[in-house]
Amino acid sequence: MLLIWIVFIPLAGGLLAWVAVKHGPYARRKNQLIARWLSLMALAVDLVLVLSLWLAGPHAVGIAGGPWIAEVSRPWLPSLGISFPLAIDGVSRLLVL
């Protein structure tokens, strides 16, 4: 579940920043400042999640004996056999950080 949050928090932060700039109630300059702070907060939360994944180590998060440090797979369109899989191994954990 942690991997889903790592992916979607920056996405949600970017969308909120875009809405703040385009449809904010203040002057353009203040809306840009609000958007920057929203983006910074989203990235800070994402960094905390990535660091918790990094510091937990491979055995605290991963599946015993599996090749992945963390893995999640959720059905997306089960009637069509489509799922939403996310997995992270040692190299991709370094790249995410």
Side-chain angles (χ1 to χ4, degrees):
M1 191 67 178
L2 186 64
L3 293 177
I4 294 175
W5 286 110
I6 289 172
V7 170
F8 286 114
I9 285 177
L11 179 67
L15 288 173
L16 283 174
W18 176 73
V19 167
V21 169
K22 293 293 182 186
H23 305 291
Y26 303 110
R28 181 174 172 87
R29 182 77 174 150
K30 190 167 185 176
N31 287 340
Q32 288 175 347
L33 184 64
I34 291 170
R36 287 180 183 156
W37 278 105
L38 284 171
S39 299
L40 181 65
M41 287 188 295
L43 289 176
V45 169
D46 200 49
L47 179 64
V48 168
L49 292 177
V50 169
L51 287 176
S52 71
L53 180 67
W54 181 265
L55 295 175
H59 301 294
V61 181
I63 300 169
W68 306 111
I69 292 173
E71 181 178 16
V72 64
S73 181
R74 299 281 187 242
W76 187 14
L77 300 171
S79 61
L80 298 175
I82 299 173
S83 64
F84 179 72
L86 289 173
I88 192 167
D89 63 353
V91 174
S92 59
R93 182 172 73 162
L94 179 63
L95 293 173
V96 167
L97 182 64

